[in-house]
Amino acid sequence: MPIRETFWNIPQWAEIGQYVLGLLTVLVFAYGVFRRVQRWRIGQPEPRTDRLGARLLSVMVHALGQVRTAQDIYAGVMHLTIFWGMAALFIGTVLATVDWDVTHLLFGLQFLSGGVYVLYELILDILGALLLVGLGMAAYRRYIVRPPRLQNAPVQRLAWDDAYAIGMLALVAITGYLVEGLRLAVVKPDWAVWSPVGNTLAAAFTAMGDPTNRALHLTVWITHGLVAFTFIASIPFTKLFHIVAAPLNIFFHSLQPAGALAPAHHSSEPGVKELRDFTWKQILDFEACVHCGRCQDNCPAYASGLSLSPRNIMIKLDAYLWERGNGRALHGDVITADELWACTTCRACVQVCPVFTDQLAAIVDMRRYLLREGRVDEKLQRALTDLRRYGNSFGQSERARAKWTQPLQPKIKDARKEAVEYLWFVGDYASYSPSLIEITRKTAQVFQKAGLDFGILYESESNAGNDVGRVGEEGLFRRLVKKNATEFGKCTFKTIVTTDPHSYNALKHEYLSEINGRHPVLHYSELLDQLIASGQLKFSQKLGYRVTYHDPCYLGRYNGVYDAPRRLIAATGSELVEMPRHRDRAFCCGAGGGRIWMEESGVKERPSEARIREAVRLDGVKVFVVACPKDVTMYRDAVKTTGYEDRLVVRDLIELVYEALS
Amino acid sequence: MKQDIYVLIEYLRGQVADISCVMLAAARELAQGTNGLVVGVLLGHNAQGLASDPLSGSGQWLAADRMLYVDHPALAEFTADAYQKALAGLIKDNMPCVVLFGDTSVGAEVANGLSARLGLPLVSHCYGVRVDGSVLKFVSKICGGKIMAEGALPETTTLVTMIPGGFKPEHGRGAQPPEVTTVASPALEGLRISLKQYIEPTAGDVDISREPVLIAVGRGVQRQNNLALAEDLAKALGGVVCGSRPVVDQGWLPTTRLVGKSGKSVKPKIYLALGISGAPEHVEALTGSEVIIAINTDPSAPIFNIARYGAAVDLLEVVPVLTEKVKQARSA
Amino acid sequence: MNIVVPIKFVPDLVEEMTIDESGAALDRTWLRLIINEFDDHAIEQAILLKERGGGQVMVVAPEVEGVDDVLYTAAAKGAGRLIKLTGDLGNANNHALARVFATAAKDLQPDLVLIGVQAHDDLDGAVGPLLAEYLGMPYLGYVSAVEVSDGKATVRKEYPGGLMAEMEVTLPAVLGIQAAEHPPRYVVTSKIYQAMEATTIEAQAVGELDPSGGLTVDRMFQPEAAERATMIEGDLTGIATKLVEIFKGLSVL
């Protein structure tokens, strides 16, 4: 009858030793965890216990299911086998402990017997083998293939940490198999065949014969015990801690919509000056980071050659957390202003992180401090001063905001004076940028052709504030919101429509009390998509262009609007060919986060240029379609500087719609 | 006396400034209306040579009817303190119709101080003066060159600080040397300002005041990176890049390339003003240019009032195209 | 060290300027008033001196639209006292303003007065040198660097042609600032709100204004269009071609 012969060949002293070491291990582990939690608690409070059900679900999907990790198939297979392999072995050990120290000790029966035991052995053997396969894959990728995102961590010591994790796990598994193999070689039970790996090893050891096998077995058993206990005890002190920290981080991640900017914790002194100004959750973010570097791979700033790498920010902040009295300052020594200003707030990093760290929130919080100290470049300073004085970043009088409407007939309705169905929030760039005004006029004409009852706020509209907040100017951001909200309050309208994704994002998430619930906020692509679907808008022409579409960060990744623009493109009769990086993997144009207001220095290849190069690789695609005024500006520029003017033309989606209507 | 026009001759380190000639031209204009004399006043120490032959080597003389020279050790270098004290008595004793000063870091300080001290009216940023029947009129340029203000000069002795542009320096120079009288200086005590040393502008760079082709950049260039566009054009055209105050203040160009009131005055054949609005402090340094061509997205920018040709386009868009065309023309 | 910074407000050139019906003054209906840029530099230089050598910065401003915001911004940068002069100051000329500043400044017993060297709407001189005379203090203008020690200020004065002079003046003195050592710092909006809570603006009424020394403007107008440039029309290529022709015509090409 198959049964687990626990402690075969193990003398009494070793058995006792195991329990003593086990206890010691638990104590050391607990101490390690306690030490970590203590560090987290130096941060500011932040409530994250809402919607427990949703939180548990995300742990299921992302900690156990590891859906984000699996986006990279190789990594997904590798990590899931390691995780489930280890989990299986762990559960197996727990079951064995319960079997021997609980049920056998107290009730005199062992449930790991018979068929159950055989199945148990089989599953563990196979999963253990998979564990080794996974570890092999990991070692191969890290040390042979050497992808850039796993190299050059700013803290050298971490390379040893990574090696330790792989090495230790492998050692645990290998010594475990050796013990099993040696035992099977001597005991030779009938059911040995159900432990395929152990059995194979046993064949090799049989040749050695007793009592060598026994002596070896005891030695390897002790080794395995020591290795396993060291492994467990070391978890809170090494990279392995992500076993604890990652699920915790996933559980506590923010359930707010992506587009809502987390307000500053102290409104009078916003921003993070020292570590303790971060919240405990932000500190947990640094701890949970496993240095996988996917964020770095998807970061447009990093790709353009700037010093910012979201991965390095997390690594450096975590290392700083554990530094003892070095006298280094957070700002300047650990994180430089250059890194912080390089961010375009495209959110690709947050989106792709398997353990749900929020690199972006840390960056914005640190920017808030830089601004408090006045450490901004002159160009940004001028933009903010202009925004404060004139409500736009162009330094032009607010009275000139609606100048673009002058040649249009009939005159666009003034939403301040009469009720309208759609309040069109135009935005800075569409109003003031000389090269974009034609597109704004076309938009007006499209709305008119569609028979929409729409109006604008004329001079009373100010910048919606989206990028002002992301640059770190909390006070000005809230002021702009208040100003616009007051104006909205005076008007009568049903829906807000905007042509600018940045404004769209702010209006959707920061103007909640004034708008949301009562007034939906739509991007023009959503509105026109609705009108096409309902038949209110019909295109008279089929354009037949072969186009590609760039998902704007604040429309796509932030707010999930991917399909409406695509349906609109299809409705115009154009053929869409996707770029490799599309939808939530779209590559930012580089203008966001206030970058368009900053000096551009140290850039080796502009993100917009890299994107154009990506587009020209698509066969037969002549038109690069965008849906954001800043994208139009950035990409038209990039087409010129990359010399592809004959190959590619940049058009806003509204221009295609305009053409299809005429 | 009451009809005379006095001009404080400005000079720096032995060189008479162009503004002095501009003022003399203006003074001549006024003197025709008042039937008075144009009197140049030069303050200094051991500077009789300069007083009697200020434009030495040119074969020309200052177009004044008389020159008054005041000598005192404290007047060896300019300080507003000493100049004010030296002039106060001269003006009080003679009560000329008008006293002209340069609207500069020399003249303006003296004029303002004297206005307050002697209770005399003061006109600043004065671009032009003219005689209108029996009335003397002034025209000043204010608000970044966008507004002109005109009025009559008060009946009492009036102090006027002048900016260049309204009169040509040539009209302030003549063929006859004026009579030079040395006037005793009042006691100059209790002076609180002293000169410690001059600091030369950084040497070793191009002297833009001698260059025939200048490509000037202003705020419209937007980013430091875009200066390369101007450099390319300058290279293709055989010219030199210079700039207005905002560009130099940012450190994008060295101070030796600054064109303006505190920078250099230039007299090129062609002055291509890119993204420059045309504020008076800049424009006053261009008046010696043969042809000014202005590129600015704002068609109402004051620069278009002094340029011969202009285009209301974005320099960032037109300059690369222009550079190409220039290169093509050269190779043809 | 007591540093007093009198500031004045000028029309914002961003707005289109028009002349009113009298034909002799600016139409004030749409005029936006902003702080004189050079006075902003003076505040910055004063703050820098205070940060380096201690003391107090006191900003004095006439009551016009928007003055409170500007004063609180100065406080947020580090100014210790904010003084607002109330009265009919909207149309005061520089002589009147300088006299009013002199009265206010005397009470503050300044060691140093920093003020912008000029303002673009100056018609009857600049406030700084007039103020100096009314205070009986020496004046140095076109200053772009200031060091204070031992009752003296050592400054860098700018002359044309890029030439500069290092000059010394005994304190108390008035300095006309051309440029602060670095451009006026940005102060974040939350700090301005904090300043609004923490600082009070002291209002001081001015008496009758004395504008003597000023002048009367008979006519204001925009520079003649007749002097305007010949505008080149067309697309970029067309304009570039025409420019090349002009260059050739002048024998530059």
Side-chain angles (χ1 to χ4, degrees), chain A residues 27 116 144 161 173 199 214 226 253 402 520 546 550 567 589 621:
Chain A
L27 288 174
V116 175
I144 311 280
D161 205 354
N199 205 22
R214 284 183 188 262
L226 289 171
H253 84 273
R546 213 166 136 81
H550 167 80
R567 284 193 291 264
C589 76
V621 163

Side-chain angles (χ1 to χ4, degrees), chain C residues 240-253:
Chain C
T241 315
K242 188 74 178 60
L243 285 172
V244 166
E245 270 172 47
I246 295 172
F247 293 153
K248 283 194 179 141
L250 291 165
S251 313
V252 167
L253 263 186

Side-chain angles (χ1 to χ4, degrees), chain B residues 8 11 23 32 47 54 64 80 106 113 166 172 201 220 234 249 267 296 303:
Chain B
L8 177 67
Y11 68 96
M23 289 192 282
Q32 281 174 11
V106 169
D249 271 353
K267 14 186 215 287
N296 194 307
I303 190 84

Side-chain angles (χ1 to χ4, degrees), chain B residues 199-224:
Chain B
I199 304 170
E200 298 291 339
T202 42
D205 195 14
V206 185
D207 183 359
I208 51 174
S209 61
R210 294 173 190 276
E211 289 287 326
V213 177
L214 288 175
I215 316 289
V217 286
R219 206 164 250 173
V221 80
Q222 285 181 38
R223 298 170 197 249
Q224 185 168 14

Side-chain angles (χ1 to χ4, degrees), chain B residues 84 105 109 112 115 117 122-124 143 146 148 150 192 194 196-197 199 245 263 299 304-305 307-308 310, chain C residues 13 95 120 123 125-126 133 136 141 157-158 161 164 166 168 170 213 215 218-219 221 227-230 232:
Chain B
Q84 253 176 258
S105 47
E109 294 181 14
N112 276 275
S115 165
R117 179 184 295 218
L122 172 64
V123 178
S124 56
C143 292
K146 287 188 174 184
M148 310 291 273
E150 190 184 68
R192 297 160 291 181
S194 60
K196 289 179 83 177
Q197 56 169 333
I199 304 170
R245 186 116 206 172
F304 290 119
N305 293 336
R308 178 96 66 84
Chain C
L13 297 181
H95 281 75
H120 61 64
L123 207 42
E133 206 51 43
K157 182 185 163 80
E158 294 192 356
M164 297 209 261
E166 195 179 294
E168 203 178 70
T170 54
L215 28 91
D218 299 329
R219 185 168 87 103
F221 55 97
E227 299 162 5
R228 267 183 74 78
T230 313
I232 309 173

Side-chain angles (χ1 to χ4, degrees), chain A residues 4 8 10 86 89-90 93 117 121 124-125 128-129 131-132 135 167-185 195-202 205 216-229 231:
Chain A
R4 190 171 207 282
W8 169 84
I10 305 302
M86 209 51 216
L89 292 177
F90 179 73
T93 313
Y117 179 60
E121 282 291 316
L124 288 188
D125 241 36
L131 166 62
L132 282 171
L135 287 169
M168 206 53 170
L169 279 167
L171 207 55
V172 169
I174 292 170
T175 50
Y177 275 126
L178 286 176
V179 171
E180 188 186 41
L182 283 162
R183 172 171 61 83
L184 292 177
S195 307
V197 181
N199 205 22
T200 320
L201 280 174
F205 289 129
L216 205 54
H217 173 262
L218 179 59
T219 316
V220 180
W221 186 94
I222 293 174
T223 312
H224 177 76
L226 289 171
V227 169
F229 285 136
F231 165 74

Side-chain angles (χ1 to χ4, degrees), chain A residues 414-628:
Chain A
D414 189 335
R416 301 169 296 181
K417 303 204 178 110
E418 40 182 323
V420 293
E421 193 184 342
Y422 293 98
L423 179 59
W424 177 17
F425 191 93
V426 186
D428 278 6
Y429 269 77
S431 305
Y432 287 105
S433 176
S435 46
L436 296 174
I437 283 174
E438 257 326 290
I439 297 179
T440 318
R441 291 192 181 126
K442 282 187 181 157
T443 311
Q445 289 170 317
V446 167
F447 287 169
Q448 276 160 354
K449 278 217 173 119
L452 296 180
D453 174 24
F454 72 98
I456 65 175
L457 287 171
Y458 281 83
E459 302 85 48
S460 302
E461 183 189 284
S462 306
N463 186 296
N466 192 62
D467 284 38
V468 175
R470 277 145 183 86
V471 139
E473 236 285 33
E474 268 299 276
L476 183 58
F477 177 34
R478 302 293 161 195
R479 193 160 115 163
L480 287 166
V481 169
K482 202 158 151 214
K483 191 157 181 289
N484 278 320
T486 313
E487 293 301 327
F488 290 146
K490 299 185 204 156
C491 303
T492 316
F493 59 95
K494 279 231 207 78
T495 309
I496 295 188
V497 65
T498 178
T499 40
D500 172 30
H502 291 239
S503 307
Y504 174 77
N505 187 63
L507 290 166
K508 242 190 140 112
H509 302 293
E510 311 297 349
Y511 290 72
L512 293 173
S513 55
E514 286 77 26
I515 299 177
N516 228 13
R518 293 182 290 139
H519 305 288
V521 177
L522 294 178
H523 183 254
Y524 76 78
S525 62
E526 292 180 290
L527 174 59
L528 294 176
D529 179 49
Q530 281 174 13
L531 295 176
I532 298 263
S534 70
Q536 189 174 334
L537 188 65
K538 284 196 206 332
F539 291 140
S540 51
Q541 284 205 58
K542 288 283 171 202
L543 299 178
Y545 294 130
R546 213 166 136 81
V547 312
T548 187
Y549 173 67
H550 167 80
D551 291 280
C553 299
Y554 279 95
L555 189 63
R557 210 177 354 253
Y558 268 91
N559 289 291
V561 179
Y562 302 112
D563 297 315
R566 285 174 167 78
R567 284 193 291 264
L568 211 48
I569 289 174
T572 65
S574 304
E575 186 197 341
L576 174 63
V577 181
E578 300 278 10
M579 287 183 276
R581 294 177 292 189
H582 63 284
R583 295 180 77 99
D584 62 335
R585 289 304 179 95
F587 188 70
C588 175
C589 76
R595 290 289 299 163
I596 204 166
W597 298 329
M598 297 182 205
E599 281 291 337
E600 192 187 42
S601 56
V603 169
K604 296 192 187 60
E605 186 196 30
R606 295 200 191 101
S608 52
E609 291 173 356
R611 193 69 162 145
I612 292 295
R613 292 195 176 102
E614 187 179 349
V616 295
R617 282 198 282 269
L618 301 171
D619 245 348
V621 163
K622 286 276 161 58
V623 186
F624 188 93
V625 180
V626 297
C628 167

